[in-house]
């Protein structure tokens, strides 16, 4: 039981949201979405509940998304 709960004492849980946001922004620059693969912001937001809440609330993380469409995309026809 103690081994399962040891993750609750992890140092990452003590980081303030502001510092965690800056770390996320550093990891997600540039945040591109290619060939159906999720961008770094999407991956970070799926790690755990806290990461999701922090990532969603931090608008700067989502303001630098880059989406690339292949030249033969049916959308352009």
């Amino acid at each position: 039981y103690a081994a399962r709960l040891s993750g609750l004492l992890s140092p990452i849980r003590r980081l303030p949201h502001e510092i965690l946001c800056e770390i996320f922004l550093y990891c997600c620059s540039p945040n591109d979405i290619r060939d159906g693969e999720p961008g770094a912001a999407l991956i970070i937001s799926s790690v755990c509940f806290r990461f999701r809440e922090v990532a969603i609330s931090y608008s700067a993380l989502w303001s630098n998304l880059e989406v690339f469409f292949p030249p033969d995309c049916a959308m352009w026809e």
Side-chain angles (χ1 to χ4, degrees):
Y1 179 76
R4 290 190 317 214
L5 296 179
S6 66
L8 295 175
L9 300 175
S10 176
I12 193 79
R13 292 185 175 269
R14 290 181 285 218
L15 280 178
H17 288 314
E18 295 81 14
I19 294 176
L20 201 54
C21 287
E22 291 300 319
I23 292 170
F24 289 171
L25 187 61
Y26 178 76
C27 293
C28 294
S29 181
N31 192 12
D32 63 344
I33 300 172
R34 298 176 192 231
D35 301 325
E37 296 177 12
L42 292 173
I43 294 171
I44 286 175
S45 67
S46 66
V47 170
C48 66
F49 180 78
R50 180 177 181 220
F51 280 22
R52 180 173 176 81
E53 291 295 315
V54 171
I56 289 173
S57 68
Y58 192 46
S59 61
L61 188 64
W62 303 99
S63 64
N64 65 350
L65 287 176
E66 295 178 16
V67 180
F68 297 96
F69 293 103
D72 61 342
C73 183
M75 184 174 156
W76 304 115
E77 295 176 0

